Amino acid sequence: MAMENPTTTGQVPSLNMPYRTFWEKTRRFQVALLFLLPSLILFSVFVFYPLFRTIYLSFFLTNQKGLPTVFVGFDNFIQLFQSADFLQSVKATFLFILYTVPASVVISLFLALLANEKLKGIHFFRTIFASSLGVSVAAASVTWLFIFNPTMGVLNRIISLFGIQEINWLADPHWALLAVSMTTIWLNLGFSFLIIFGGLQNIDQSLYESSSIDGAGYFYQLRRITIPMLSPTLFFIMTVSLINAFQTFGQIDLLTGGGPGQTTNLMVYAIYKDAFVNFNFGKASAEVVILFLLILIVTLLQFKFVEKKVHYQ
Amino acid sequence: MMAIKRGSLYVVLILIALLLFFPIIYAFLVSFMSTKEVLMGHLIPKSFSLTNYIDAFQALPLLHSLINSMLVSIITTIGQIIVCSLAAYAFVFIEFRGRQFLFFLFVSTMMIPWEASIIPNFVTVQKLGWINHYAALTIPFFATAFGTFLLRQHFKTIPKELHEASRMAGLGHLSFFLKVVMPVSKTSLVTLGIYCFLTTWNSYLWPLLVTTDERSRTAQIGLRQLHAQENVTQWGVVMAGVVIVAIPTLLVLFLGQKHLQKGLMDGAVK
Amino acid sequence: MSEVELLNVSKLYGNKQPYIIKNLDVNIESGEFFVIVGPSGCGKSTLLRMIAGLENISEGVLRIGGEMANHWSPSQRDISMVFQNYALYPHLNVRENIVFGLRVKKISPEEREKRLLEACEMLNLTAYLNRKPRELSGGQRQRVALARAIVSQSPICLMDEPLSNLDAKLRAHMRGEIRKIQRQFGTTMIYVTHDQVEAMTMGDRMMILNQGKIQQIGRPIDIYNHPANTFVASFIGSPQMNMCEAYYDGNSQEIRINKDLKLTMTLPKLKTSTYIIGLRPEYIHIPQPNNPNQTIVQVEINHVELLGNDTLFSFQINDQQWIAKWNGQWLFEPGDKISIALDADELCVFDKDTRQLVHSSTRQDHDELQKGVLA
Ligand SMILES: Nc1ncnc2c1ncn2[C@@H]1O[C@H](COP(=O)(O)OP(=O)(O)OP(=O)(O)O)[C@@H](O)[C@H]1O
Ligand SMILES: [Mg+2]
């Protein structure tokens, strides 16, 4: 070697950080903690503590103030599973998910594909398609309440044009959940559309160009390029819609109040009534725990079975 | 051939747009009708009189609830941007022990629906004496995993050399954050801002729980009351309320759609 | 006095093996233009970033201006750095970008303005002061990055492949600019590059790094002429040095490349054994009449490249492809058999096992002699 070592290892202080105290060594951690502190405090108070508190409360009977009185073990849960009302609310929730989630995703995908065409004035249509994101649950529910109105509402007027007799949409046990689902789908479309459309726009145009050169038609491209490339987005929006569906409240409160005959008594609405109308925090907490577990299980199942079909780049 | 295809596309687009936008148009039209017209089931009002709007404002402190909603949404938006960008900064620009774990902790909060924590949260807010205060409507929403995640994705696209160049120039973390990271990330901050504004303005269950008096109600709860009060007779007035409550968010959405579309995608999937 | 001094410096990322830099020792003098070259991934950037204070030093000592600087923060070291991707602040215009660091250091506005104008004058940036980086061409951005380093007036400047994103012409121009500015300010420059030409032409000294270890340090021309080992020999010079195994017989004082090719050579220090010999492409000559030093051999050409001013052609020696570089335009065809002349004085000889240089070409000494005669 052309170079010779001018110093031997012995002369060089081998310890790089001779006088660093613990305080100095964890310096970066402290700085990071400072930046994270607001979030950590808020998460602890409003997310983590309540989660454990809810689980705790679900094992107790509670008094009018919501304080735990008697430890009852799994009694709250056992009672829930023996209660027809609760089982009905679980059933209604799953039916509601079945009615709303696939329909929202499919319709928004269709809308996004339409909005992705290169046409004059397409921006206007994109805005319209996204518009329901700008309408609150309350405003939408009140509007649909009127649309569903048996005598004055526009829906019955339209179907009467076809000679179908009036339907009492929100008071008829056969129709109430469907009516709520319709409102929900409409409400969801804006957000789902925006996300899926964003996903479409992110697909590299050169993929289409090269497959066009190979002579692929629109539907071939849709099947072989668009859907696979879009699958992470579709998966994301499915997960989000699902979790949102589990948490539905406003539509129920304004449209049906859980009726008729409990058919639209979705879980969160049931929890609300148990907790804040009947002040039975113990029972409501048990319901929350079950809701949480259901969301967890369904999401995990979705990750396990659907995510495999997702093509990440 | 091309022309036919394009023509039919337009027909489809227009029909679908009408169908989707119908509830909004319908609410708008009904809001101008007299009670008699509503009862007769008209679709187009005879005249565009503002009586229903005046009645809506008189029936309730609607104006007050609008101001409440506006303030609550703005405060939450600003608070969320500050808190989430601070957290996102730490995750991207500071290498510290336990970063992975803390990030996992943050992401896991996405799995816990707000509804699942509503009972203890209500008690907490009660104990803090925040019932009927803005604090209850804003502070719990300052920290969100979604916002942190979205901003983190964007901060990660900032070249690390920018950070290094600033370090060599003698900038500390806080000034790098304020002078470089925040201005460079304007787009994603706007995205988060729009999204946060929309969701806060539109939230329903929590404001319903933590506000009990008229003066602290938000617009959504005002609408609920309007509907409860006027139910059978005054649909025109109720629809006027709907239009008033929906206009601010529709405006925000129309103005910010481009941002939202791009920014949300980046946060969601990448 | 040496400005930057590395004593036995080593680097591990996250305390995990392997060593990215191993026992590095080097002194960089004040006002020196010091070039670091090496293959991709050999640790050049890592080394530079350790000097800048952007990476911590796992073992060893770094001295700046004679003082131990291992734990100084980047800003304490008073070093400027030009990044490969320029690292311009996208939200600031050219002016703000250039004075950004001066603001932080609380330098007075008048002084800031003075330095800014000076630097912009020198780099022809005055017309772009109000533009954002995205409105500039690659070369202009590069110059802004350079201006930022200049105005800081730091005694030490680090550059990490600063010209790699530029086209050939601009690169040639910027080479001259950087060298000029460095001389003008007497800056100690540590300059990382991939580029042969930059390495050869810009530096006072250069260091060749491979797998985190120093291969050689010295004046570029000395390294070219006396590569310390086979790695340096093949890394420096383009096309690279031709090499193959050869047998040296101490008794007959002959180097045998194969049965047709023997060169007479006196290497008193070497014992009879197999060595690796190296010969630069430009030392493969056109046979000349009456030259007693040359050994002539017939080869079959298998590839030709006409470069305009030079002609490259390759042929097989033992199992190795050799390349020759002749001046002018030679219209050979693959398959042509031609005679070439080799000169034993121009051979480098490396140990077969250690791959270290044991004898280097004496040819360049003749050149210096000629120069002396001309003067
Ligand atoms: N943050 C890091 N963590 C772990 N290993 C790293 C890190 N940064 C670099 N390395 C490794 O260190 C080695 C040297 O990297 P370095 O960037 O110094 O190479 P380089 O000589 O600058 O190469 P190039 O010429 O390609 O820029 C590489 O093998 C690289 O994989
Ligand atoms: Mg490098």
Side-chain angles (χ1 to χ4, degrees):
Chain A
M1 188 136 341
M3 262 288 304
E4 264 197 38
N5 254 355
T7 40
T8 58
T9 330
Q11 288 172 293
V12 177
S14 55
L15 251 185
N16 247 333
M17 295 136 201
Y19 309 117
R20 296 218 304 167
T21 60
F22 178 77
W23 178 255
E24 282 162 342
K25 268 190 252 172
T26 55
R27 176 116 201 138
R28 273 196 299 209
F29 183 76
Q30 293 158 27
V31 175
L33 216 54
L34 232 50
F35 277 82
L36 292 171
L37 207 59
S39 294
L40 284 175
I41 292 174
L42 288 171
F43 278 146
S44 314
V45 175
F46 293 109
V47 179
F48 296 118
Y49 161 73
L51 183 68
F52 293 110
R53 180 74 181 167
T54 304
I55 296 171
Y56 177 79
L57 282 179
S58 70
F59 295 112
F60 284 88
L61 291 180
T62 51
N63 63 16
Q64 284 291 312
K65 285 189 191 134
L67 294 172
T69 50
V70 185
F71 177 79
V72 291
F74 284 96
D75 268 11
N76 283 330
F77 293 94
I78 294 166
Q79 273 175 19
L80 278 180
F81 283 110
Q82 288 166 348
S83 131
D85 286 356
F86 176 72
L87 294 178
Q88 165 58 30
S89 80
V90 175
K91 184 182 148 205
T93 306
F94 276 96
L95 271 179
F96 176 75
I97 287 169
L98 199 67
Y99 293 160
T100 57
V101 175
S104 304
V105 174
V106 170
I107 297 173
S108 344
L109 174 62
F110 174 69
L111 293 179
L113 288 172
L114 266 181
N116 205 26
E117 294 289 330
K118 289 188 190 68
L119 292 171
K120 248 206 187 115
I122 196 73
H123 283 290
F124 170 75
F125 291 102
R126 289 174 188 164
T127 308
I128 297 291
F129 290 175
S131 59
S132 72
L133 177 59
V135 180
S136 65
V137 179
S141 303
V142 173
T143 307
W144 281 84
L145 195 59
F146 187 61
I147 292 175
F148 289 131
N149 189 294
T151 52
M152 297 172 271
V154 71
L155 201 57
N156 272 347
R157 281 180 192 269
I158 291 171
I159 64 167
S160 70
L161 289 181
F162 296 94
I164 304 170
Q165 71 178 93
E166 282 182 358
I167 297 172
N168 203 344
W169 295 99
L170 295 169
D172 184 335
H174 295 295
W175 288 103
L177 192 61
L178 275 173
V180 174
S181 302
M182 244 156 88
T183 312
T184 307
I185 292 171
W186 183 78
L187 260 171
N188 283 350
L189 283 182
F191 183 70
S192 313
F193 163 76
L194 215 56
I195 296 286
I196 297 180
F197 177 67
L200 274 182
Q201 298 257 298
N202 267 3
I203 299 177
D204 190 351
Q205 282 304 307
S206 60
L207 290 176
Y208 292 107
E209 283 158 11
S210 75
S211 74
S212 296
I213 292 168
D214 297 337
Y218 179 82
F219 287 99
Y220 187 84
Q221 289 185 341
L222 183 65
R223 210 153 39 91
R224 289 301 166 89
I225 300 174
T226 312
I227 302 291
M229 294 298 285
L230 205 55
S231 51
T233 314
L234 291 174
F235 180 70
F236 169 79
I237 198 68
M238 249 157 76
T239 313
V240 171
S241 308
L242 194 74
I243 293 177
N244 281 340
F246 268 115
Q247 300 174 33
T248 304
F249 174 80
Q251 299 96 297
I252 309 297
D253 185 46
L254 285 161
L255 287 173
T256 63
Q262 310 257 12
T263 45
T264 61
N265 193 20
L266 301 190
M267 289 179 78
V268 172
Y269 193 71
I271 292 166
Y272 164 76
K273 277 202 301 200
D274 281 329
F276 300 105
V277 178
N278 305 328
F279 286 101
N280 190 344
F281 278 13
K283 181 183 174 198
S285 295
E287 287 175 294
V288 168
V289 171
I290 293 171
L291 174 72
F292 177 59
L293 287 179
L294 281 178
I295 293 181
L296 200 68
I297 291 168
V298 172
T299 321
L300 288 180
L301 283 180
Q302 199 177 7
F303 266 93
K304 189 162 156 60
F305 290 109
V306 185
E307 210 200 9
K308 270 189 207 145
K309 302 204 173 70
V310 172
H311 299 248
Y312 291 104
Q313 282 97 328
Chain B
M1 185 59 210
M2 265 330 252
I4 295 173
K5 193 191 153 210
R6 195 167 295 177
S8 47
L9 259 176
Y10 272 118
V11 172
V12 173
L13 276 168
I14 290 169
L15 283 179
I16 289 178
L18 273 176
L19 197 66
L20 281 177
F21 210 54
F22 177 75
I24 296 171
I25 301 171
Y26 192 49
F28 186 72
L29 292 173
V30 174
S31 74
F32 293 106
M33 291 182 191
S34 65
T35 317
K36 211 171 115 221
E37 281 176 280
V38 175
L39 277 171
M40 283 161 63
H42 285 194
L43 203 59
I44 314 278
K46 271 208 243 26
S47 69
F48 285 86
S49 88
L50 292 175
T51 8
N52 287 335
Y53 286 86
I54 296 164
D55 286 352
F57 276 110
Q58 273 167 358
L60 277 177
L62 200 57
L63 187 67
H64 201 87
S65 69
L66 280 171
I67 294 172
N68 281 342
S69 272
M70 191 58 81
L71 283 175
V72 164
S73 303
I74 290 173
I75 296 170
T76 309
T77 303
I78 294 172
Q80 190 173 119
I81 285 177
I82 293 172
V83 171
C84 292
S85 56
L86 281 171
Y89 178 87
F91 285 127
V92 175
F93 290 104
I94 308 175
E95 270 180 53
F96 58 96
R97 243 165 215 259
R99 178 160 73 162
Q100 293 274 319
F101 169 76
L102 276 176
F103 186 66
F104 173 78
L105 201 70
F106 270 54
V107 171
S108 72
T109 66
M110 275 207 241
M111 290 295 300
I112 304 170
W114 176 249
E115 277 68 16
S117 20
I118 209 153
I119 295 171
N121 279 341
F122 177 74
V123 178
T124 307
V125 163
Q126 221 173 15
K127 278 194 191 137
L128 289 169
W130 286 0
I131 297 287
N132 290 326
H133 282 286
Y134 283 167
L137 295 168
T138 55
I139 294 174
F141 304 99
F142 283 180
T144 65
F146 176 80
T148 310
F149 194 69
L150 186 91
L151 294 180
R152 172 179 172 265
Q153 296 306 92
H154 190 271
F155 289 177
K156 274 167 75 168
T157 65
I158 298 175
K160 75 173 195 315
E161 284 85 356
L162 228 49
H163 186 204
E164 291 172 347
S166 309
R167 279 171 68 193
M168 300 201 60
L171 244 59
H173 278 297
L174 196 62
S175 27
F176 176 62
F177 172 73
L178 290 174
K179 287 193 185 140
V180 180
V181 174
M182 291 303 258
V184 165
S185 313
K186 246 183 293 174
T187 21
S188 56
L189 296 178
V190 172
T191 304
L192 180 62
I194 294 171
Y195 184 77
C196 178
F197 185 91
L198 290 179
T199 45
T200 313
W201 180 274
N202 291 342
S203 65
Y204 183 80
L205 174 54
W206 184 247
L208 183 65
L209 291 179
V210 297
T211 57
T212 53
D213 72 2
E214 299 264 292
R215 300 204 64 77
S216 55
R217 289 259 139 101
T218 64
Q220 308 303 325
I221 310 305
L223 199 56
R224 182 187 200 249
Q225 282 185 302
L226 194 63
H227 151 249
Q229 271 177 26
E230 315 275 321
N231 198 356
V232 195
T233 47
Q234 300 281 325
W235 274 106
V237 178
V238 176
M239 287 303 163
V242 166
V243 172
I244 294 166
V245 170
I247 279 177
T249 37
L250 278 175
L251 271 181
V252 169
L253 180 71
F254 291 160
L255 295 177
Q257 189 186 346
K258 271 229 177 82
H259 266 297
L260 206 55
Q261 191 175 297
K262 210 188 135 314
L264 283 183
M265 251 327 283
D266 292 350
V269 174
K270 266 180 203 158
Chain C
M1 186 186 70
S2 66
E3 189 79 4
V4 177
E5 203 175 341
L6 294 151
L7 299 178
N8 242 333
V9 165
S10 298
K11 173 71 185 173
L12 294 158
Y13 274 110
N15 293 327
K16 282 193 289 279
Q17 299 282 354
Y19 278 97
I20 302 299
I21 299 278
K22 182 77 179 152
N23 293 344
L24 205 98
D25 265 295
V26 59
N27 294 337
I28 296 159
E29 305 294 325
S30 182
E32 183 177 25
F33 198 117
F34 191 81
V35 174
I36 303 173
V37 283
S40 187
C42 69
K44 305 181 295 289
S45 300
T46 305
L47 178 60
L48 213 59
R49 293 160 52 76
M50 284 196 292
I51 297 173
L54 299 170
E55 289 293 347
N56 69 321
I57 296 167
S58 311
E59 292 162 24
V61 171
L62 167 72
R63 290 209 186 112
I64 294 177
E67 286 183 65
M68 161 127 169
N70 284 39
H71 297 304
W72 291 1
S73 73
S75 57
Q76 277 175 311
R77 300 181 187 206
D78 200 6
I79 288 178
S80 62
M81 182 157 176
V82 177
F83 292 86
Q84 185 172 353
N85 64 0
Y86 315 143
L88 301 180
Y89 302 105
H91 62 298
L92 302 179
N93 65 24
V94 170
R95 169 196 299 272
E96 292 160 339
N97 258 294
I98 295 175
V99 299
F100 188 85
L102 302 185
R103 279 236 171 92
V104 178
K105 291 197 187 110
K106 305 230 158 52
I107 286 172
S108 73
E110 302 83 55
E111 175 69 15
R112 277 205 309 252
E113 199 60 20
K114 191 176 133 257
R115 291 194 200 173
L116 171 79
L117 291 181
E118 248 174 39
C120 289
E121 199 79 1
M122 195 182 317
L123 293 166
N124 277 330
L125 281 171
T126 322
Y128 311 110
L129 281 179
N130 293 318
R131 293 218 201 153
K132 291 276 171 68
R134 65 165 175 279
E135 300 159 343
L136 299 176
S137 73
Q140 290 160 349
R141 282 180 211 173
Q142 160 75 57
R143 297 206 298 260
V144 176
L146 217 55
R148 199 163 66 179
I150 291 171
V151 296
S152 79
Q153 300 193 351
S154 305
I156 303 169
C157 180
L158 312 178
M159 296 197 178
D160 193 351
E161 306 189 33
L163 305 184
S164 58
N165 292 342
L166 305 184
D167 66 57
K169 193 163 155 239
L170 198 53
R171 209 185 281 200
H173 174 72
M174 292 307 295
R175 275 205 303 268
E177 288 294 299
I178 291 177
R179 191 72 171 114
K180 203 173 83 196
I181 292 163
Q182 182 263 341
R183 284 221 178 90
Q184 186 174 338
F185 286 95
T187 315
T188 307
M189 177 74 80
I190 306 177
Y191 187 101
V192 165
T193 180
H194 250 103
D195 185 279
Q196 287 279 332
V197 186
E198 282 173 35
M200 286 303 295
T201 60
M202 294 180 81
D204 297 319
R205 278 196 305 160
M206 84 173 161
M207 169 166 91
I208 293 132
L209 215 56
N210 187 31
Q211 297 184 341
K213 294 199 190 81
I214 297 176
Q215 304 299 312
Q216 194 171 6
I217 300 179
R219 281 166 58 206
I221 198 68
D222 291 340
I223 290 179
Y224 187 84
N225 290 334
H226 310 283
N229 53 40
T230 53
F231 175 83
V232 176
S234 56
F235 192 79
I236 299 294
S238 170
Q240 69 177 59
M241 185 185 273
N242 299 305
M243 282 190 263
C244 72
E245 285 188 4
Y247 186 79
Y248 176 68
D249 187 338
N251 294 329
S252 56
Q253 303 212 318
E254 241 181 13
I255 261 221
R256 262 178 245 146
I257 294 170
N258 56 35
K259 66 178 175 4
D260 303 322
L261 184 50
K262 300 187 188 86
L263 284 78
T264 312
M265 223 174 157
T266 316
L267 298 167
K269 284 191 283 184
L270 296 192
K271 58 182 190 309
T272 300
S273 172
T274 306
Y275 291 90
I276 294 169
I277 57 154
L279 188 63
R280 296 236 175 244
E282 61 269 27
Y283 293 154
I284 293 171
H285 302 284
I286 309 161
Q288 245 131 37
N290 314 323
N291 185 344
N293 288 333
Q294 70 185 12
T295 308
I296 295 179
V297 63
Q298 277 252 323
V299 293
E300 185 182 323
I301 294 177
N302 51 30
H303 185 70
V304 185
E305 284 174 21
L306 275 168
L307 302 179
N309 52 350
D310 290 322
T311 304
L312 302 181
F313 59 89
S314 53
F315 51 89
Q316 189 101 9
I317 291 281
N318 295 350
D319 55 349
Q320 300 286 323
Q321 279 289 323
W322 278 30
I323 294 178
K325 180 160 145 186
W326 283 6
N327 245 317
Q329 303 179 353
W330 297 79
L331 299 178
F332 297 131
E333 291 291 330
D336 286 356
K337 288 204 168 64
I338 60 161
S339 293
I340 54 167
L342 311 181
D343 185 339
D345 283 350
E346 294 166 342
L347 282 184
C348 289
V349 183
F350 303 93
D351 188 280
K352 183 166 174 281
D353 301 316
T354 65
R355 309 222 140 214
Q356 300 297 315
L357 185 73
V358 287
H359 168 86
S360 64
S361 121
T362 47
R363 172 57 198 261
Q364 61 285 342
D365 304 332
H366 302 321
D367 285 351
E368 269 173 41
L369 217 138
Q370 274 176 14
K371 222 167 32 182
V373 169
L374 283 173

